[in-house]
Amino acid sequence: MDLASSDLHALAESVKPLLDWRDVPVDLASLAALAAGLGWASGLRLYALVFVLGALERFAGVQLPGGLGMLAHPLVLGVSGVLLLVEFFADKLPWLDSIWDAVHTFIRIPAGAALAAAVMGDQGGALQLAMGLLGGTLAAGTHMAKAGARAAINTSPEPVSNVVASLGEDALFAGGVWTLIHQPLLFLAALAVFCVVAVLLIVSLWRFVRRLFAPRPARPLP
């Protein structure tokens, strides 16, 4: 137990300088990178993102920028923690994850916009609006690519591919958030690549759906 506690403390100490804005000048570029990252992550694993950020401030002593401090409230931590567990299992059940994604079209996108705007809570309304638009757009693109890909995977009758895809998304979220905190420039480069891939994926899925539901030409009578 002491070893685990010391490891957690060491992790908190390594993360704290990267997110703590109390004693350093505010760098708008780093705040914009953080806002973009939160928008992206919201479209993938919203509840995990909210819980992790809130836990960092409440238990690791991290001072989050802008209005993100509200995520450390016990009520927000409790609700996001419960929904995190629900989403973890729901996302791995074929077809249920598609229903979950459909419902969360109306949750992840505005939440991504709100979190990105909250990063600029101390920087004025114009920057909040700009980051809100950026965060909402990234959340929408990530969510649509994720939901579309999972819907296509669900056409397979076996459940293994769905579970593998879900675990891959968990790993992508964890790796993306770690990179955002430790290597923001690398994260932004990877985000640009992700956006290109996501657009290509969405376009391909849209063409597939159009062909699937296109009216078939009538067969000539013999």
Side-chain angles (χ1 to χ4, degrees):
M1 182 66 71
D2 292 338
L3 180 61
S5 177
S6 62
D7 290 342
L8 182 61
H9 179 73
L11 176 62
E13 289 300 317
S14 66
V15 169
K16 189 184 299 184
L18 299 164
L19 290 177
D20 200 325
W21 272 266
R22 282 176 295 188
D23 301 317
V24 296
V26 174
D27 181 352
L28 290 181
S30 66
L31 291 179
L34 179 61
L38 298 189
W40 168 82
S42 296
L44 194 62
R45 289 288 187 268
L46 172 62
Y47 302 123
L49 175 66
V50 171
F51 182 81
V52 167
L53 290 176
L56 282 174
E57 170 144 334
R58 187 161 189 85
F59 302 114
V62 171
Q63 180 73 30
L64 297 173
L68 293 177
M70 69 180 72
L71 302 182
H73 190 282
L75 182 60
V76 178
L77 275 174
V79 172
S80 62
V82 171
L83 291 174
L84 163 61
L85 291 175
V86 173
E87 182 171 61
F88 180 82
F89 292 104
D91 196 67
K92 292 168 179 61
L93 298 176
W95 298 110
L96 179 57
D97 72 284
S98 292
I99 298 174
W100 184 268
D101 283 339
V103 172
H104 279 77
T105 300
F106 306 99
I107 300 175
R108 290 173 183 154
I109 298 173
L115 289 174
V119 172
M120 297 293 183
D122 299 327
Q123 308 304 317
L127 282 174
Q128 289 182 56
L129 179 58
M131 289 303 102
L133 292 173
L134 175 64
T137 300
L138 288 171
T142 305
H143 167 74
M144 290 179 181
K146 162 187 157 48
R150 296 297 293 277
I153 291 173
N154 279 336
T155 59
S156 173
E158 46 78 29
V160 176
S161 57
N162 191 280
V163 174
V164 171
S166 180
L167 291 174
E169 291 168 6
D170 293 334
L172 179 62
F173 167 80
V177 172
W178 186 93
T179 306
L180 172 63
I181 294 173
H182 291 86
Q183 298 289 338
L185 291 179
L186 178 60
F187 172 83
L188 291 177
L191 179 61
V193 175
F194 177 88
C195 288
V196 173
V197 173
V199 169
L200 294 175
L201 177 61
I202 292 171
V203 171
S204 297
L205 290 170
W206 175 247
R207 289 176 177 172
F208 172 75
V209 171
R210 287 185 61 184
R211 287 197 301 267
L212 189 64
F213 291 98
R216 301 179 183 275
R219 293 182 179 180
L221 296 175

